[in-house]
Short mmCIF file of all heavy atoms in Angstrom, two decimals:
data_model
loop_
_atom_site.label_atom_id
_atom_site.label_comp_id
_atom_site.label_asym_id
_atom_site.label_seq_id
_atom_site.Cartn_x
_atom_site.Cartn_y
_atom_site.Cartn_z
N ALA W 271 7.83 -1.80 -8.48
CA ALA W 271 6.99 -0.67 -9.01
C ALA W 271 6.08 -0.18 -7.92
O ALA W 271 5.92 1.07 -7.69
CB ALA W 271 6.19 -1.13 -10.22
N LEU W 272 5.46 -1.10 -7.13
CA LEU W 272 4.54 -0.68 -6.11
C LEU W 272 5.29 0.06 -4.96
O LEU W 272 4.77 1.02 -4.45
CB LEU W 272 3.83 -1.94 -5.55
CG LEU W 272 2.70 -2.46 -6.43
CD1 LEU W 272 2.14 -3.75 -5.82
CD2 LEU W 272 1.58 -1.47 -6.56
N GLU W 273 6.44 -0.46 -4.63
CA GLU W 273 7.20 0.20 -3.55
C GLU W 273 7.59 1.58 -3.97
O GLU W 273 7.58 2.54 -3.13
CB GLU W 273 8.42 -0.61 -3.17
CG GLU W 273 8.10 -1.94 -2.45
CD GLU W 273 9.31 -2.73 -2.10
OE1 GLU W 273 10.39 -2.13 -1.95
OE2 GLU W 273 9.24 -3.93 -1.99
N GLN W 274 7.90 1.80 -5.25
CA GLN W 274 8.26 3.14 -5.69
C GLN W 274 7.01 4.05 -5.77
O GLN W 274 7.11 5.19 -5.41
CB GLN W 274 8.88 3.02 -7.12
CG GLN W 274 10.29 2.45 -7.06
CD GLN W 274 10.91 2.42 -8.51
OE1 GLN W 274 10.22 2.06 -9.44
NE2 GLN W 274 12.16 2.76 -8.54
N LEU W 275 5.88 3.47 -6.23
CA LEU W 275 4.65 4.29 -6.27
C LEU W 275 4.25 4.76 -4.85
O LEU W 275 3.77 5.87 -4.64
CB LEU W 275 3.49 3.50 -6.90
CG LEU W 275 3.58 3.30 -8.40
CD1 LEU W 275 2.42 2.41 -8.83
CD2 LEU W 275 3.59 4.60 -9.16
N LEU W 276 4.47 3.82 -3.90
CA LEU W 276 4.07 4.16 -2.54
C LEU W 276 5.10 5.04 -1.83
O LEU W 276 4.71 6.12 -1.29
CB LEU W 276 3.98 2.84 -1.72
CG LEU W 276 3.48 2.98 -0.23
CD1 LEU W 276 1.99 3.33 -0.23
CD2 LEU W 276 3.71 1.68 0.51
N GLY W 277 6.34 4.73 -1.93
CA GLY W 277 7.40 5.48 -1.21
C GLY W 277 7.93 6.70 -1.88
O GLY W 277 8.47 7.61 -1.24
N ASP W 278 7.85 6.72 -3.25
CA ASP W 278 8.40 7.85 -3.99
C ASP W 278 7.35 8.87 -4.40
O ASP W 278 7.61 9.69 -5.29
CB ASP W 278 9.13 7.36 -5.22
CG ASP W 278 10.41 6.53 -4.88
OD1 ASP W 278 10.83 6.64 -3.73
OD2 ASP W 278 10.94 5.83 -5.75
N THR W 279 6.12 8.76 -3.83
CA THR W 279 5.18 9.75 -4.16
C THR W 279 5.10 10.79 -3.01
O THR W 279 5.10 10.42 -1.82
CB THR W 279 3.74 9.09 -4.28
OG1 THR W 279 3.80 8.16 -5.39
CG2 THR W 279 2.64 10.13 -4.46
N ASN W 280 5.00 12.00 -3.34
CA ASN W 280 4.98 13.06 -2.34
C ASN W 280 3.49 13.22 -1.88
O ASN W 280 2.76 14.10 -2.32
CB ASN W 280 5.48 14.44 -2.95
CG ASN W 280 5.46 15.54 -1.97
OD1 ASN W 280 5.43 15.35 -0.75
ND2 ASN W 280 5.40 16.77 -2.47
N TRP W 281 3.07 12.38 -0.99
CA TRP W 281 1.71 12.35 -0.52
C TRP W 281 1.35 13.57 0.35
O TRP W 281 0.13 13.91 0.48
CB TRP W 281 1.48 11.10 0.35
CG TRP W 281 1.53 9.83 -0.42
CD1 TRP W 281 2.58 8.89 -0.37
CD2 TRP W 281 0.65 9.31 -1.42
NE1 TRP W 281 2.31 7.84 -1.20
CE2 TRP W 281 1.11 8.11 -1.90
CE3 TRP W 281 -0.60 9.78 -1.95
CZ2 TRP W 281 0.44 7.32 -2.84
CZ3 TRP W 281 -1.27 9.06 -2.89
CH2 TRP W 281 -0.71 7.82 -3.35
N GLY W 282 2.37 14.23 0.92
CA GLY W 282 2.04 15.34 1.80
C GLY W 282 1.55 14.82 3.12
O GLY W 282 1.91 13.77 3.60
N GLU W 283 0.64 15.56 3.79
CA GLU W 283 0.08 15.18 5.09
C GLU W 283 -1.32 14.59 4.85
O GLU W 283 -2.22 15.24 4.37
CB GLU W 283 -0.01 16.38 6.00
CG GLU W 283 1.30 17.01 6.35
CD GLU W 283 2.17 16.12 7.23
OE1 GLU W 283 1.61 15.37 8.04
OE2 GLU W 283 3.37 16.11 7.09
N LEU W 284 -1.45 13.29 5.13
CA LEU W 284 -2.67 12.56 4.95
C LEU W 284 -3.18 11.97 6.24
O LEU W 284 -2.42 11.47 7.04
CB LEU W 284 -2.50 11.47 3.92
CG LEU W 284 -2.19 11.81 2.46
CD1 LEU W 284 -2.07 10.56 1.66
CD2 LEU W 284 -3.21 12.78 1.90
N ASP W 285 -4.50 12.04 6.46
CA ASP W 285 -5.12 11.37 7.54
C ASP W 285 -5.33 9.89 7.22
O ASP W 285 -5.16 9.00 8.06
CB ASP W 285 -6.46 11.95 7.90
CG ASP W 285 -6.34 13.43 8.40
OD1 ASP W 285 -5.47 13.65 9.25
OD2 ASP W 285 -7.11 14.29 7.92
N TYR W 286 -5.64 9.63 5.96
CA TYR W 286 -5.87 8.27 5.46
C TYR W 286 -5.38 8.10 4.09
O TYR W 286 -5.50 9.00 3.22
CB TYR W 286 -7.42 7.94 5.47
CG TYR W 286 -8.14 8.17 6.74
CD1 TYR W 286 -8.90 9.28 6.92
CD2 TYR W 286 -8.09 7.23 7.74
CE1 TYR W 286 -9.58 9.56 8.12
CE2 TYR W 286 -8.78 7.44 8.96
CZ TYR W 286 -9.53 8.58 9.11
OH TYR W 286 -10.16 8.76 10.26
N LEU W 287 -4.70 6.99 3.83
CA LEU W 287 -4.31 6.56 2.45
C LEU W 287 -5.05 5.23 2.18
O LEU W 287 -4.81 4.23 2.86
CB LEU W 287 -2.79 6.40 2.34
CG LEU W 287 -2.29 5.83 1.01
CD1 LEU W 287 -2.64 6.79 -0.13
CD2 LEU W 287 -0.81 5.60 1.06
N VAL W 288 -5.93 5.23 1.21
CA VAL W 288 -6.63 4.06 0.82
C VAL W 288 -5.85 3.36 -0.26
O VAL W 288 -5.52 3.96 -1.30
CB VAL W 288 -8.09 4.40 0.29
CG1 VAL W 288 -8.84 3.17 -0.17
CG2 VAL W 288 -8.86 5.09 1.40
N VAL W 289 -5.56 2.08 -0.07
CA VAL W 289 -4.78 1.29 -1.04
C VAL W 289 -5.75 0.25 -1.65
O VAL W 289 -6.25 -0.64 -0.97
CB VAL W 289 -3.60 0.61 -0.38
CG1 VAL W 289 -2.84 -0.22 -1.41
CG2 VAL W 289 -2.64 1.56 0.31
N ASP W 290 -5.95 0.39 -2.98
CA ASP W 290 -6.78 -0.53 -3.70
C ASP W 290 -5.90 -1.71 -4.10
O ASP W 290 -5.21 -1.62 -5.10
CB ASP W 290 -7.41 0.18 -4.92
CG ASP W 290 -8.30 -0.72 -5.72
OD1 ASP W 290 -8.83 -1.71 -5.18
OD2 ASP W 290 -8.47 -0.48 -6.94
N LEU W 291 -5.98 -2.79 -3.39
CA LEU W 291 -5.17 -3.99 -3.66
C LEU W 291 -5.64 -4.76 -4.84
O LEU W 291 -6.85 -4.71 -5.17
CB LEU W 291 -5.10 -4.89 -2.47
CG LEU W 291 -4.38 -4.39 -1.19
CD1 LEU W 291 -4.51 -5.46 -0.09
CD2 LEU W 291 -2.93 -4.12 -1.51
N PRO W 292 -4.71 -5.46 -5.56
CA PRO W 292 -5.23 -6.35 -6.63
C PRO W 292 -6.06 -7.47 -5.99
O PRO W 292 -5.87 -7.84 -4.79
CB PRO W 292 -3.95 -6.88 -7.19
CG PRO W 292 -2.90 -6.68 -6.19
CD PRO W 292 -3.32 -5.46 -5.41
N PRO W 293 -6.97 -8.08 -6.76
CA PRO W 293 -7.78 -9.18 -6.17
C PRO W 293 -6.96 -10.41 -5.95
O PRO W 293 -5.90 -10.63 -6.56
CB PRO W 293 -8.84 -9.43 -7.23
CG PRO W 293 -8.20 -8.95 -8.53
CD PRO W 293 -7.32 -7.82 -8.15
N GLY W 294 -7.41 -11.27 -5.00
CA GLY W 294 -6.73 -12.49 -4.71
C GLY W 294 -5.92 -12.44 -3.48
O GLY W 294 -5.85 -11.47 -2.76
N THR W 295 -5.16 -13.55 -3.28
CA THR W 295 -4.27 -13.72 -2.12
C THR W 295 -2.93 -14.26 -2.55
O THR W 295 -2.34 -15.13 -1.82
CB THR W 295 -4.94 -14.62 -1.05
OG1 THR W 295 -5.23 -15.89 -1.65
CG2 THR W 295 -6.19 -14.03 -0.53
N GLY W 296 -2.40 -13.76 -3.65
CA GLY W 296 -1.11 -14.29 -4.12
C GLY W 296 0.05 -13.56 -3.57
O GLY W 296 -0.02 -12.88 -2.52
N ASP W 297 1.21 -13.77 -4.23
CA ASP W 297 2.47 -13.22 -3.73
C ASP W 297 2.43 -11.68 -3.60
O ASP W 297 2.94 -11.13 -2.63
CB ASP W 297 3.63 -13.67 -4.66
CG ASP W 297 4.97 -13.12 -4.19
OD1 ASP W 297 5.41 -13.57 -3.13
OD2 ASP W 297 5.53 -12.26 -4.89
N THR W 298 1.85 -11.03 -4.54
CA THR W 298 1.80 -9.52 -4.56
C THR W 298 1.02 -9.05 -3.32
O THR W 298 1.48 -8.20 -2.60
CB THR W 298 1.12 -9.01 -5.83
OG1 THR W 298 1.85 -9.52 -6.97
CG2 THR W 298 1.08 -7.49 -5.82
N GLN W 299 -0.14 -9.63 -3.09
CA GLN W 299 -0.96 -9.21 -1.94
C GLN W 299 -0.23 -9.53 -0.59
O GLN W 299 -0.25 -8.69 0.29
CB GLN W 299 -2.29 -9.93 -1.97
CG GLN W 299 -3.19 -9.55 -3.07
CD GLN W 299 -2.91 -10.35 -4.34
OE1 GLN W 299 -1.91 -11.05 -4.44
NE2 GLN W 299 -3.79 -10.22 -5.34
N LEU W 300 0.40 -10.67 -0.52
CA LEU W 300 1.06 -11.09 0.69
C LEU W 300 2.25 -10.17 0.96
O LEU W 300 2.46 -9.67 2.09
CB LEU W 300 1.56 -12.52 0.58
CG LEU W 300 2.35 -13.09 1.81
CD1 LEU W 300 1.40 -13.04 3.02
CD2 LEU W 300 2.80 -14.50 1.53
N THR W 301 3.03 -9.85 -0.09
CA THR W 301 4.17 -8.99 0.09
C THR W 301 3.79 -7.59 0.47
O THR W 301 4.41 -6.93 1.38
CB THR W 301 5.08 -8.93 -1.16
OG1 THR W 301 5.44 -10.28 -1.53
CG2 THR W 301 6.33 -8.18 -0.95
N LEU W 302 2.75 -7.10 -0.13
CA LEU W 302 2.25 -5.77 0.23
C LEU W 302 1.81 -5.72 1.68
O LEU W 302 2.09 -4.77 2.38
CB LEU W 302 1.05 -5.40 -0.69
CG LEU W 302 1.34 -4.73 -2.01
CD1 LEU W 302 0.11 -4.67 -2.89
CD2 LEU W 302 1.92 -3.34 -1.81
N SER W 303 1.11 -6.74 2.09
CA SER W 303 0.57 -6.74 3.46
C SER W 303 1.71 -6.90 4.49
O SER W 303 1.53 -6.59 5.69
CB SER W 303 -0.42 -7.91 3.66
OG SER W 303 0.16 -9.15 3.43
N GLN W 304 2.86 -7.31 4.06
CA GLN W 304 4.01 -7.47 4.96
C GLN W 304 4.90 -6.21 4.93
O GLN W 304 5.61 -5.98 5.91
CB GLN W 304 4.85 -8.70 4.57
CG GLN W 304 4.19 -10.03 4.81
CD GLN W 304 4.96 -11.19 4.31
OE1 GLN W 304 5.63 -11.10 3.30
NE2 GLN W 304 4.86 -12.35 5.02
N LYS W 305 4.92 -5.45 3.88
CA LYS W 305 5.77 -4.34 3.72
C LYS W 305 5.16 -2.95 3.91
O LYS W 305 5.75 -2.00 4.26
CB LYS W 305 6.53 -4.38 2.40
CG LYS W 305 7.54 -5.54 2.29
CD LYS W 305 8.39 -5.39 1.01
CE LYS W 305 9.44 -6.49 0.96
NZ LYS W 305 10.32 -6.33 -0.20
N VAL W 306 3.86 -2.89 3.55
CA VAL W 306 3.13 -1.64 3.63
C VAL W 306 2.58 -1.48 5.02
O VAL W 306 1.96 -2.39 5.56
CB VAL W 306 2.04 -1.56 2.57
CG1 VAL W 306 1.26 -0.26 2.69
CG2 VAL W 306 2.60 -1.69 1.16
N PRO W 307 2.75 -0.31 5.70
CA PRO W 307 2.24 -0.16 7.06
C PRO W 307 0.75 0.03 7.04
O PRO W 307 0.19 1.10 6.86
CB PRO W 307 2.92 1.16 7.52
CG PRO W 307 3.18 1.90 6.26
CD PRO W 307 3.47 0.92 5.21
N LEU W 308 0.01 -1.08 7.27
CA LEU W 308 -1.46 -1.10 7.17
C LEU W 308 -2.08 -0.97 8.57
O LEU W 308 -1.81 -1.75 9.43
CB LEU W 308 -1.92 -2.41 6.51
CG LEU W 308 -1.44 -2.66 5.08
CD1 LEU W 308 -1.89 -4.01 4.60
CD2 LEU W 308 -1.93 -1.54 4.15
N THR W 309 -2.93 0.05 8.69
CA THR W 309 -3.72 0.21 9.94
C THR W 309 -4.82 -0.85 9.97
O THR W 309 -5.16 -1.29 11.09
CB THR W 309 -4.38 1.63 9.91
OG1 THR W 309 -3.35 2.60 9.64
CG2 THR W 309 -5.01 1.91 11.27
N GLY W 310 -5.36 -1.23 8.83
CA GLY W 310 -6.44 -2.23 8.86
C GLY W 310 -6.84 -2.51 7.42
O GLY W 310 -6.47 -1.82 6.48
N SER W 311 -7.65 -3.54 7.30
CA SER W 311 -8.16 -4.01 5.95
C SER W 311 -9.66 -3.94 5.91
O SER W 311 -10.34 -4.18 6.92
CB SER W 311 -7.68 -5.39 5.65
OG SER W 311 -8.20 -6.35 6.57
N VAL W 312 -10.12 -3.65 4.71
CA VAL W 312 -11.60 -3.70 4.44
C VAL W 312 -11.77 -4.75 3.33
O VAL W 312 -11.16 -4.71 2.29
CB VAL W 312 -12.09 -2.33 3.96
CG1 VAL W 312 -13.54 -2.48 3.42
CG2 VAL W 312 -12.03 -1.29 5.01
#
């Protein structure tokens, strides 16, 4: 579902995309951090 929301959304031209991650450090967060092109984390 997350990959579809990220990749199948017509974001247009963006300078920044802020991703509100779920809390914690489980499988979802780890997989996202490995597959989503992250410039950095806050």
Side-chain angles (χ1 to χ4, degrees):
L272 283 175
E273 287 180 29
Q274 289 182 318
L275 288 177
L276 185 70
D278 294 344
T279 297
N280 181 22
W281 294 107
E283 297 292 325
L284 295 180
D285 297 312
Y286 305 100
L287 175 61
V288 176
V289 180
D290 179 26
L291 291 179
T295 55
D297 180 66
T298 301
Q299 294 85 348
L300 180 60
T301 305
L302 272 171
S303 63
Q304 291 173 327
K305 291 189 174 182
V306 178
L308 300 176
T309 310
S311 64
V312 172

